[in-house]
């Protein structure tokens, strides 16, 4: 019984627990890879929230998916979530310290957070693994530049040039470093260091115009025009037709007042570039400047002298303002205007001129203050009102460029106050609120603008966009539908309406509102039949709602437009698989596999479909069909672990143990350390009843998977190789009646296990008040087939302590899976009595409970008696141990403690209750302790009691 039960327990455990676990892990890995592919596509489409959601799902399925961790870190970086990005990039570097891309992302994350020391540390770590790597060396130089460590950076730049001097990328980067350092030192007035870095930039790239212009500018700032001109002349020697150099030389000659040379040089430029309007435009101004320089009476100087002697002379002041403006010297003109306003602060003409000067100098805010004063004086002046509105608008634009949003908002609101019908100011004010991430305020501005400009398409379009971004898709849709009715052929409006419906559908999909999402995607298809993205989402929505037939309908519609779209075909195959239409799905996947033989996704999906078909056939009790399907999988990938394990299980179920063993060995060739295949080999050997080989295989399994279950299994199999058992038993019976108040039996047993059962020899030594005695016994259990076995016993004793002889035989038959019936006979010779008995019993196993009801029909001429015995056991610790409860009515011929008195006790009303516990240690040592109380009624008012204690110790060897 124990062997049979354990065999099925371990077979079921291996099949139900281990194999699906392996298959599930593999399926999870494949599902994670599919999610990863989808996340990559979403990232390329810049759908970052969707890509993040897919990535997190993939990591839930496979937490150690390094590529997915890197992708999620990259996505967080792209969305500005630097702390989250840093977390996943660090996980990648911890798991895979040689993952190259992870260092690049880590450096970029720290740079974005201005953590320059951390960024440089990552660059050094990367160079530790990738010594001399050009890209990481360039990264390190970039980090130093960001951290303004220009001195160390210059030394590192020389190292880069020593190693990669011929590399153009390195040359450009090093040049950029020196230019950046030069600019930094120049702004901070370290002119010597700035000049040094610009010269180094020219050494690296002699044609670099920025360095040349910077050095020339520094010479000009230092009034060292001669040096600047020499530098330009030196460059012209190598590039005589360089237009920018020729024009720079012209400027230098002007600054040095070398007008004859300048005029000659200008004519030379015009000859070389006859179509250049800039050069031609310099002809007259240059000659005027020369004439003024060489004229003894300069009007500007004369008028300045007049004003110096007579500060209130308005004519001289006006002439000076006009001359300054004509020369383009607006700041000088502004100085003369301010001087005039000191004397005449309310002069409208001067205020207007100052406003013009400020506007020309891009000082729009100051100009607007003056224009406000002028408009207050002339409220009906339309020109002044338009100018003030223009100045407020220009001022707001300047604030926007400088990201001074509150000031920009004030300026645009003032522009609207001055000119409520203006359409530019509300547009800019809306943009300002959007830059501040205040969409509600932006919508309010647009609503006010639409009161002034009802039906303005641009404002309506912008409002619809903002509402869609706010998630108010119904309102946005209503606006766009109105626009489309007005402009039915406008493709932009139709496209935007589709985008709004798609965005709404995506959000609803994320919130699992699939029915509402369907309506959004159907609206897209109404605008553009066959729109691919809407069809894809509709298919996904139907699938999510467990409506595969509808999903297939949409898929077929999409495939009519694009019959060779492999993603649609792949999705269709997946839905067919979920509907258990494995043949149709397999045909699609097989076609994709053959068309794209190097795409693992299709190959894996095809084998997964075959595996699903095989497992379905297996569940439907079609082992031959399942085996054929799994062989197809192995023909594609002979290393497929799931197919190998399923095949082993099927062969074990069919009793084809040699075939199962061959596939287990095949799995171990590919996966020598895989515990599942090792366990399958052990189970198969056990099924073959080759316990010696199974035990050795179980020991090998323990080396790779030393779990409690495997240790217990190895102990069990080792016990099956043990053919001998020695046991000691002791029975103590006590009475509360008669002259002999006790009875002891000590037993020694030897048992030998054979293929079809076991046989045993026992020697019993008994003692009571009347004396002692010895009884020998022989016992046999013999298995005829898997449903029938026999039990036989013969014993003989030489004294009155034991019955003289006992014979017993029973035949047991198993019905179904667990019901067992017994039919047998007993013979007992004690004193002068010869007792014959018939035995019947019925037993059944309910989970961990075992129940046996046995009845004895006893003939002791001239009397006939019956006896009944109910035995229940509760098994524990994988059936190694059990608790026992026994209840009896009458005295049976199998009761050892009462056999010697059987003839005297057989007719009495006897009731008994017993309990016990048996413990088996590692399937080799068995300990038992049992106690029984027996009560006998010998008259209507007199009862007598017996108490038994039974102790057992057995050991296999």
């Amino acid at each position: 019984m124990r062997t049979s039960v354990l065999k099925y327990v371990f077979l079921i455990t291996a099949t139900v627990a281990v194999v699906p676990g392996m298959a599930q892990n593999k399926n999870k890995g494949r599902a994670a890879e599919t999610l990863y592919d989808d996340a990559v596509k979403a990232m390329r489409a810049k759908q970052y929230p969707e890509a993040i959601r897919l990535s997190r799902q993939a990591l839930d399925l496979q937490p150690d998916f390094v590529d997915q961790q890197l992708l999620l870190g990259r996505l967080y970086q792209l969305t500005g979530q630097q702390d989250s990005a840093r977390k996943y990039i660090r996980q990648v570097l911890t798991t895979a310290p040689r993952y190259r891309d992870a260092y690049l992302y880590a450096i970029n994350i720290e740079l974005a957070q201005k953590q320059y020391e951390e960024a440089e540390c990552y660059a050094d770590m990367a160079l530790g693994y990738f010594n001399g790597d050009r890209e990481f060396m360039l990264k390190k130089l970039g980090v130093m530049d960001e951290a303004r460590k220009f001195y160390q950076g210059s030394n590192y730049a020389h190292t880069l040039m020593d190693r990669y001097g011929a590399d153009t990328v390195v040359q450009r980067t090093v040049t950029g470093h020196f230019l950046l350092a030069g600019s930094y030192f120049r702004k901070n007035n370290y002119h010597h260091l700035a000049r040094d870095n610009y010269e180094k930039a020219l050494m690296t790239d002699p044609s670099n115009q920025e360095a040349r212009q910077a050095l020339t500018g520094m010479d000009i700032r230092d009034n060292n025009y001669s040096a600047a001109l020499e530098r330009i002349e030196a460059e012209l020697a190598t590039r005589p037709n360089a237009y920018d150099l020729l024009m720079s030389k012209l400027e230098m000659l002007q600054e040095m007042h070398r007008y004859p040379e300048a005029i000659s040089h200008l004519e030379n430029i015009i000859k070389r570039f006859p179509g250049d309007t800039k050069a031609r435009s310099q002809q007259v101004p240059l000659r005027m400047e020369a004439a003024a320089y060489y004229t003894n009476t300069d009007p500007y100087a004369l008028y300045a002298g007049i004003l110096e002697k007579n500060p209130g002379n308005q004519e001289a002041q006006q002439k000076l303002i006009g001359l300054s403006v004509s020369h383009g010297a607006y700041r000088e003109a502004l100085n003369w205007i301010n001087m005039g306003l000191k004397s005449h602060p309310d002069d409208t003409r001067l205020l207007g001129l100052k406003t013009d000067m400020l506007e020309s100098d891009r000082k729009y805010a100051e100009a607007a203050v003056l224009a406000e004063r002028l408009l207050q004086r002339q409220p009906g002046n339309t020109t002044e009102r338009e100018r003030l509105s223009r100045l407020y608008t220009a001022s707001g634009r300047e604030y926007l460029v400088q990201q001074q949003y509150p000031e920009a908002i004030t300026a645009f609101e003032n522009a609207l106050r001055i000119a409520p019908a203006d359409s530019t100011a509300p547009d800019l004010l809306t943009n300002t609120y959007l830059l501040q991430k205040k969409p509600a305020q932006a919508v309010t501005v647009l609503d006010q603008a639409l009161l002034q400009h009802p039906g303005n398409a641009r404002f309506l379009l912008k409002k619809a966009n903002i509402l869609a971004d706010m998630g108010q898709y119904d309102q946005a849709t209503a606006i766009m539908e109105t626009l489309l009715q007005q402009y039915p052929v406008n493709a932009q409006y139709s496209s935007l309406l589709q985008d709004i419906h798609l965005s709404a559908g995506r959000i609803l999909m994320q919130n699992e509102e699939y029915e509402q999402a369907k309506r959004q995607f159907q609206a897209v298809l109404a605008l553009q039949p066959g729109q691919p993205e809407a069809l894809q989402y509709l298919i996904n929505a139907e699938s999510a709602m467990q409506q595969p037939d509808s999903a297939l309908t949409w898929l077929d519609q999409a495939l009519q437009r694009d019959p060779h779209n492999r993603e649609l075909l792949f999705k269709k195959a997946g839905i067919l698989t979920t509907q258990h239409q494995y043949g149709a799905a397999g045909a699609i996947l097989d076609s994709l596999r053959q068309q794209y033989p190097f795409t693992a996704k299709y190959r894996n999906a095809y084998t997964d479909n075959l595996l699903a078909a095989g497992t379905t056939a297996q569940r439907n009790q079609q082992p031959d069909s399942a085996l054929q399907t799994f062989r197809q999988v192995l023909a594609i990938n002979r290393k497929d672990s799931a197919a190998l394990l399923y095949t082993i299980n099927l062969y074990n179920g069919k009793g084809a143990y040699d075939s199962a063993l061959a596939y287990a060995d095949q799995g171990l060739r590919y996966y020598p350390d895989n515990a599942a295949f090792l366990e399958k080999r052990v189970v198969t050997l056990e099924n073959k009843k080759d316990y010696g080989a199974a035990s050795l295989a179980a020991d090998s399994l323990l080396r790779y998977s030393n779990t409690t279950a495997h240790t217990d299994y190895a102990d069990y199999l080792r016990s099956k190789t043990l053919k001998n058992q020695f046991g000691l038993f002791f029975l103590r019976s006590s009475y509360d009646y008669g002259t002999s108040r006790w009875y002891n039996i000590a037993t020694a047993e030897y048992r030998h296990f054979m293929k079809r059962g076991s046989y045993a020899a026992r020697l019993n030594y008994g003692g009571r008040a009347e004396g002692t005695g010895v009884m020998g016994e022989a016992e046999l259990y013999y298995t005829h087939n898997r449903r029938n076995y026999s039990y036989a016993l013969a014993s003989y004793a030489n004294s009155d302590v034991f019955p003289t002889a006992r014979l017993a035989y029973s035949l047991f038959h198993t019905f179904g899976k667990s019901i067992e019936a017994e039919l047998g006979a007993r013979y007992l010779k004690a004193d002068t009595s010869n007792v014959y008995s018939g035995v019947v019993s019925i037993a059944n196993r309910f989970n961990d409970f075992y129940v046996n009801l046995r009845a004895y029909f006893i003939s002791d001429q001239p009397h006939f008696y019956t006896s009944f015995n109910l035995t229940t056991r509760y098994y524990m610790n994988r059936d190694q141990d059990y608790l026992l409860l026994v209840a009896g009515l009458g005295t049976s011929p199998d009761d050892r403690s009462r056999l010697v008195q059987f003839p005297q006790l057989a007719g009495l009303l006897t009731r008994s209750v017993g309990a016990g516990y048996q413990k088996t240690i590692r399937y080799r040592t068995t300990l038992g302790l049992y106690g029984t109380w027996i009560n006998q009624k010998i008259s209507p008012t007199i009862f007598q009691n017996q108490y038994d204690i039974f102790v057992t110790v057995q050991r296999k060897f």
Side-chain angles (χ1 to χ4, degrees):
M1 285 291 290
R2 177 178 299 233
T3 300
S4 176
V5 171
L6 285 173
K7 176 178 74 177
Y8 288 111
V9 167
F10 282 104
L11 180 59
I12 293 169
T13 302
T15 304
V16 176
V18 176
V19 174
M22 293 293 297
Q24 186 178 7
N25 288 338
K26 183 171 183 178
N27 290 338
K28 282 186 177 180
R30 289 175 178 168
E33 290 177 2
T34 300
L35 289 168
Y36 171 78
D37 292 339
D38 292 342
V40 171
K41 292 176 184 175
M43 182 185 74
R44 290 173 179 167
K46 297 186 179 180
Q47 298 173 2
Y48 300 129
E50 174 68 7
I52 290 172
R53 184 184 67 80
L54 293 169
S55 298
R56 295 187 69 87
Q57 287 184 4
L59 286 177
D60 288 340
L61 291 172
Q62 189 174 347
D64 58 351
F65 194 164
V66 175
D67 288 339
Q68 183 60 78
Q69 291 172 345
L70 184 71
L71 177 62
L72 186 54
R74 175 62 174 156
L75 288 167
Y76 281 130
Q77 183 184 4
L78 289 171
T79 54
Q81 302 177 60
Q82 305 295 347
D83 291 337
S84 297
R86 182 183 290 112
K87 168 188 170 184
Y88 284 99
I89 297 301
R90 284 179 176 174
Q91 287 181 6
V92 173
L93 290 175
T94 301
T95 306
R98 299 187 67 86
Y99 205 133
R100 193 175 187 280
D101 288 352
Y103 288 104
L104 296 173
Y105 295 153
I107 294 169
N108 292 339
I109 290 168
E110 301 303 337
L111 281 176
Q113 297 286 83
K114 297 184 179 181
Q115 300 294 326
Y116 303 122
E117 294 296 332
E118 290 291 328
E120 188 173 354
C121 180
Y122 279 120
D124 288 335
M125 288 171 62
L127 287 167
Y129 286 108
F130 309 100
N131 185 29
D133 184 277
R134 186 196 69 166
E135 188 171 7
F136 286 122
M137 292 183 75
L138 291 172
K139 275 287 185 184
K140 182 173 180 179
L141 179 59
V143 173
M144 291 179 176
D145 286 347
E146 289 285 342
R148 300 294 185 264
K149 297 166 69 173
F150 294 116
Y151 180 77
Q152 298 93 321
S154 295
N155 292 333
Y156 201 70
H158 290 310
T159 303
L160 259 171
M161 287 298 294
D162 290 342
R163 185 183 288 266
Y164 299 105
D167 191 308
T168 56
V169 174
V170 173
Q171 291 174 3
R172 287 197 299 271
T173 304
V174 170
T175 302
H177 159 75
F178 288 126
L179 290 173
L180 182 64
S183 175
Y184 174 78
F185 290 130
R186 186 180 180 188
K187 288 178 181 177
N188 289 278
N189 296 319
Y190 298 112
H191 301 298
H192 175 72
L193 291 173
R195 184 180 295 276
D196 182 60
N197 279 279
Y198 283 128
E199 288 175 349
K200 287 179 180 178
L202 281 176
M203 289 175 63
T204 308
D205 180 12
S207 63
N208 188 274
Q209 293 186 16
E210 182 181 348
R212 174 177 58 77
Q213 291 172 359
L215 287 169
T216 303
M218 293 176 70
D219 288 334
I220 293 171
R221 183 190 61 81
D222 296 336
N223 296 322
N224 191 0
Y225 299 119
S226 298
L229 185 60
E230 287 177 9
R231 192 180 302 279
I232 294 170
E233 293 282 10
E235 292 192 52
L236 279 170
T238 57
R239 294 192 294 151
N241 293 320
Y243 175 79
D244 59 330
L245 292 175
L246 291 170
M247 293 300 288
S248 296
K249 179 179 178 180
L250 178 62
E251 292 175 11
M252 290 300 99
L253 290 172
Q254 282 182 265
E255 292 291 340
M256 297 172 70
H257 304 298
R258 292 163 60 175
Y259 294 110
E261 295 176 60
I263 293 171
S264 174
H265 184 64
L266 178 60
E267 294 300 327
N268 183 39
I269 292 174
I270 294 172
K271 287 179 182 178
R272 293 190 184 188
F273 305 98
D276 183 58
T277 56
K278 180 180 178 182
R280 288 186 175 277
S281 67
Q282 294 292 319
Q283 287 180 302
V284 174
L286 179 60
R287 285 173 171 78
M288 291 291 291
E289 184 179 336
Y293 183 78
Y294 292 114
T295 300
N296 292 327
T297 56
D298 182 1
Y300 186 88
L302 290 173
Y303 284 123
I306 292 170
L307 199 62
E308 184 179 354
K309 294 177 181 179
N310 184 10
N313 191 305
Q314 292 187 7
E315 182 181 356
Q317 192 175 64
Q318 291 174 10
K319 291 292 184 180
L320 285 170
I321 294 170
L323 287 169
S324 297
V325 171
S326 66
H327 292 158
Y330 298 114
R331 293 190 179 181
E332 291 183 8
L334 188 60
N335 289 334
W336 295 120
I337 292 170
N338 287 333
M339 185 180 295
L341 285 171
K342 286 181 181 178
S343 304
H344 307 88
D346 296 324
D347 190 311
T348 304
R349 185 182 59 80
L350 288 176
L351 287 172
L353 282 172
K354 183 174 181 180
T355 303
D356 291 338
M357 292 300 101
L358 290 171
E359 183 177 5
S360 299
D361 201 24
R362 304 182 66 86
K363 295 181 178 179
Y364 302 115
E366 298 177 41
V369 173
L370 291 176
E372 187 86 53
R373 288 173 58 188
L374 288 169
L375 184 62
Q376 289 172 359
R377 293 183 181 186
Q378 308 172 63
N381 191 319
T382 305
T383 303
E384 287 295 336
R385 183 172 296 278
E386 289 177 353
R387 176 164 72 169
L388 180 55
S389 175
R390 183 180 71 249
L391 286 171
Y392 274 131
T393 302
S395 173
R397 290 181 189 274
E398 287 291 310
Y399 285 130
L400 266 185
V401 171
Q402 299 166 17
Q403 298 183 1
Q404 295 177 260
Y405 301 124
E407 292 81 358
I409 288 171
T410 302
F412 294 137
E413 287 175 342
N414 283 330
L416 280 173
R417 175 175 55 82
I418 300 300
D422 180 59
S423 62
T424 303
D427 200 18
L428 292 169
L429 183 56
T430 300
N431 293 341
T432 307
Y433 279 124
L434 291 177
L435 288 170
Q436 289 187 291
K437 301 187 185 304
K438 296 179 178 179
Q441 289 89 330
V443 170
T444 301
V445 172
L446 287 172
D447 287 338
Q448 294 170 354
L450 285 167
L451 294 175
Q452 293 287 334
H453 309 276
N456 184 293
R458 184 163 56 86
F459 288 154
L460 287 169
L461 185 63
K462 180 169 285 193
K463 181 179 178 180
N465 270 309
I466 296 171
L467 290 171
D469 290 338
M470 294 171 66
Q472 299 179 24
Y473 298 108
D474 292 339
Q475 297 179 43
T477 300
I479 293 172
M480 294 310 305
E481 287 175 346
T482 302
L483 285 173
L484 265 179
Q485 290 173 2
Q486 298 176 13
Y487 309 98
V489 295
N490 191 311
Q492 179 189 3
Y493 296 160
S494 176
S495 177
L496 180 57
L497 182 55
Q498 291 179 43
D499 289 341
I500 291 172
H501 282 306
L502 285 171
S503 298
R506 291 190 199 101
I507 297 297
L508 290 167
M509 287 285 286
Q510 290 175 4
N511 294 328
E512 299 183 3
E513 298 288 345
Y514 301 118
E515 194 63 47
Q516 297 180 46
K518 277 176 57 180
R519 290 196 288 271
Q520 296 292 336
F521 300 133
Q522 288 168 343
V524 175
L525 293 175
L527 292 168
Q528 183 185 348
Q531 208 277 349
E533 189 174 0
L535 281 172
Q536 288 272 13
Y537 277 117
L538 265 174
I539 294 162
N540 293 341
E542 298 288 8
S543 298
M545 291 190 294
Q546 304 297 319
Q547 296 177 358
D549 292 335
S550 299
L552 286 172
T553 301
W554 290 112
L555 265 169
D556 290 336
Q557 180 178 333
L559 285 168
Q560 286 177 1
R561 295 178 174 273
D562 189 4
H564 302 296
N565 186 306
R566 55 179 176 171
E567 290 305 316
L568 291 174
L569 289 167
F570 186 68
K571 192 179 289 285
K572 181 176 181 179
I575 295 173
L576 288 171
T577 298
T578 61
Q579 288 191 297
H580 307 298
Q581 298 182 35
Y582 302 115
I588 295 172
L589 292 170
D590 192 29
S591 175
L592 288 172
R593 178 178 68 93
Q594 293 181 25
Q595 291 180 57
Y596 307 98
F598 300 108
T599 302
K601 178 172 70 172
Y602 301 139
R603 184 171 61 253
N604 293 337
Y606 179 59
T607 56
D608 286 346
N609 178 73
L610 288 173
L611 287 170
T615 53
T616 300
Q618 191 175 2
R619 284 194 299 270
N620 294 335
Q621 304 300 316
Q622 298 171 336
D624 293 335
S625 176
L627 273 172
Q628 182 181 359
T629 305
F630 293 139
R631 288 195 198 100
Q632 287 181 262
V633 176
L634 293 173
I636 298 168
N637 179 13
R638 61 181 182 274
K639 296 182 180 180
D640 192 289
S641 59
L644 285 168
L645 289 167
Y646 288 138
T647 302
I648 295 166
N649 290 343
L650 284 166
Y651 276 125
N652 269 323
K654 294 179 67 174
Y657 302 127
D658 290 335
S659 297
L661 193 60
Y663 278 100
D665 290 338
Q666 181 178 334
L668 286 170
R669 282 199 301 274
Y670 301 132
Y671 310 101
D673 300 336
N674 188 290
F677 286 110
L678 285 167
E679 187 164 1
K680 288 299 174 189
R681 188 170 190 275
V682 176
V683 170
T684 305
L685 289 168
E686 181 193 1
N687 291 340
K688 290 185 67 177
K689 300 191 183 303
D690 188 352
Y691 297 113
S695 179
L696 291 174
D699 290 339
S700 299
L701 174 62
L702 280 177
R703 289 199 293 271
Y704 294 103
S705 180
N706 191 2
T707 65
T708 302
H710 289 157
T711 301
D712 182 76
Y713 192 19
D715 289 338
Y716 166 73
L717 291 173
R718 196 174 298 113
S719 73
K720 301 294 286 184
T721 65
L722 305 175
K723 302 299 183 182
N724 303 293
Q725 178 176 284
F726 179 73
L728 293 175
F729 310 90
F730 179 75
L731 172 65
R732 170 74 175 185
S733 296
S734 302
Y735 311 101
D736 63 359
Y737 60 90
T739 58
S740 177
R741 295 300 185 94
W742 55 270
Y743 180 32
N744 297 330
I745 301 176
T747 304
E749 177 191 80
Y750 166 75
R751 183 177 297 276
H752 180 76
F753 297 94
M754 54 187 182
K755 187 174 183 180
R756 286 188 172 271
S758 67
Y759 58 85
R762 283 192 291 270
L763 183 64
N764 300 280
Y765 177 79
R768 53 192 299 199
E770 289 79 0
T772 60
V774 176
M775 180 174 69
E777 289 183 299
E779 185 179 72
L780 173 68
Y781 284 93
Y782 185 80
T783 301
H784 304 285
N785 50 52
R786 69 186 187 90
R787 290 191 177 273
N788 299 288
Y789 71 94
S790 291
Y791 164 76
L793 173 75
S795 63
Y796 177 76
N798 64 350
S799 71
D800 294 338
V801 175
F802 296 104
T804 304
R806 283 181 66 209
L807 295 174
Y809 176 79
S810 287
L811 176 65
F812 295 85
H813 179 77
T814 302
F815 297 92
K817 293 185 177 180
S818 60
I819 298 176
E820 182 182 82
E822 174 191 8
L823 181 63
R826 302 288 188 268
Y827 169 72
L828 176 68
K829 179 176 177 57
D831 296 331
T832 60
S833 299
N834 291 285
V835 181
Y836 299 90
S837 305
V839 181
V840 293
S841 74
I842 187 77
N844 197 8
R845 175 75 180 262
F846 306 93
N847 296 324
D848 293 329
F849 287 94
Y850 167 83
V851 179
N852 179 285
L853 177 62
R854 179 177 274 114
Y856 296 89
F857 304 95
I858 306 164
S859 174
D860 182 10
Q861 293 296 333
H863 305 291
F864 183 82
Y865 313 107
T866 57
S867 174
F868 301 95
N869 187 286
L870 177 66
T871 302
T872 60
R873 293 177 187 170
Y874 174 68
Y875 286 96
M876 301 173 291
N877 192 20
R878 302 185 183 183
D879 289 357
Q880 291 191 77
D881 312 328
Y882 63 78
L883 289 170
L884 175 72
L885 184 63
V886 180
L889 183 63
T891 301
S892 77
D894 286 339
D895 190 339
R896 295 170 63 86
S897 70
R898 287 179 282 174
L899 287 178
V900 70
Q901 303 180 57
F902 186 82
Q904 295 81 22
L905 301 176
L908 299 177
L909 175 61
T910 303
R911 288 163 294 194
S912 62
V913 177
Y917 175 66
Q918 177 175 292
K919 171 72 176 175
T920 302
I921 302 171
R922 299 184 67 178
Y923 298 96
R924 298 185 69 176
T925 303
T926 303
L927 306 175
L929 178 62
Y930 311 89
T932 307
W933 169 62
I934 303 154
N935 179 264
Q936 297 157 347
K937 183 177 181 181
I938 60 175
S939 73
T941 59
I942 300 175
F943 295 86
Q944 58 188 24
N945 298 299
Q946 176 181 335
Y947 306 94
D948 291 345
I949 296 294
F950 186 50
V951 180
T952 68
V953 179
Q954 300 171 77
R955 172 74 174 180
K956 286 185 175 181
F957 61 95

